[in-house]
Amino acid sequence: MALKPTRKRIRTYGCVSPAKLSGGYHRVKSDDRYHSWRWTKESKAFREEHPLCAECLKKGLLVPSKVVDHIIPVAICEDFWDQDNWQSLCAKCNADKGNRDKTIITKIRNERIQKNNRTFS
């Protein structure tokens, strides 16, 4: 026999989530250009030209690519459409590189903040 939930979930649409209040992890919204028709078209064409994962290819593995990645993150490079800064990656390599990029971006942003604080002091 199914049991009735002991606690009713209270829906708080439009309210700040407890994770944001407690300083928990907050995922930054992806750039709108990743959801555009142009990106869909150009990334598909790039993957057709480069069908294998660039990282796996360096290791001697032949793994089909699933995504197009910016070699230098857009947050640092700022030229979104430069195809010389693109590479095809498999899902695993993309996740690994994304985690490495997050630490690099955080470090660079913190350095910029410290530099700005020194100039205003």
Side-chain angles (χ1 to χ4, degrees), residues 27-62:
R27 183 176 177 195
V28 179
K29 184 179 179 287
S30 63
D31 194 310
D32 287 336
R33 290 175 285 192
Y34 286 113
H35 308 286
S36 69
W37 170 250
R38 180 179 176 191
W39 174 254
T40 302
K41 185 176 69 172
E42 289 193 27
S43 65
K44 183 179 179 182
F46 188 84
R47 278 184 283 128
E48 287 173 357
E49 291 175 23
H50 305 88
L52 299 176
C53 173
E55 294 289 322
C56 291
L57 207 54
K58 290 176 189 175
K59 299 172 191 172
L61 303 171
L62 301 176

Side-chain angles (χ1 to χ4, degrees), residues 62-74:
L62 301 176
V63 179
S65 64
K66 297 288 181 189
V67 296
V68 175
D69 174 70
H70 289 89
I71 299 168
I72 301 171
V74 176

Side-chain angles (χ1 to χ4, degrees), residues 44-104:
K44 183 179 179 182
F46 188 84
R47 278 184 283 128
E48 287 173 357
E49 291 175 23
H50 305 88
L52 299 176
C53 173
E55 294 289 322
C56 291
L57 207 54
K58 290 176 189 175
K59 299 172 191 172
L61 303 171
L62 301 176
V63 179
S65 64
K66 297 288 181 189
V67 296
V68 175
D69 174 70
H70 289 89
I71 299 168
I72 301 171
V74 176
I76 298 169
C77 176
E78 298 177 359
D79 188 3
F80 190 89
W81 300 107
D82 179 17
Q83 290 192 13
D84 293 333
N85 189 32
W86 292 0
Q87 65 180 347
S88 294
L89 295 178
C90 65
K92 183 184 180 311
C93 290
N94 185 51
D96 292 344
K97 184 179 177 300
N99 290 332
R100 288 192 309 267
D101 287 351
K102 286 176 192 171
T103 58
I104 293 168

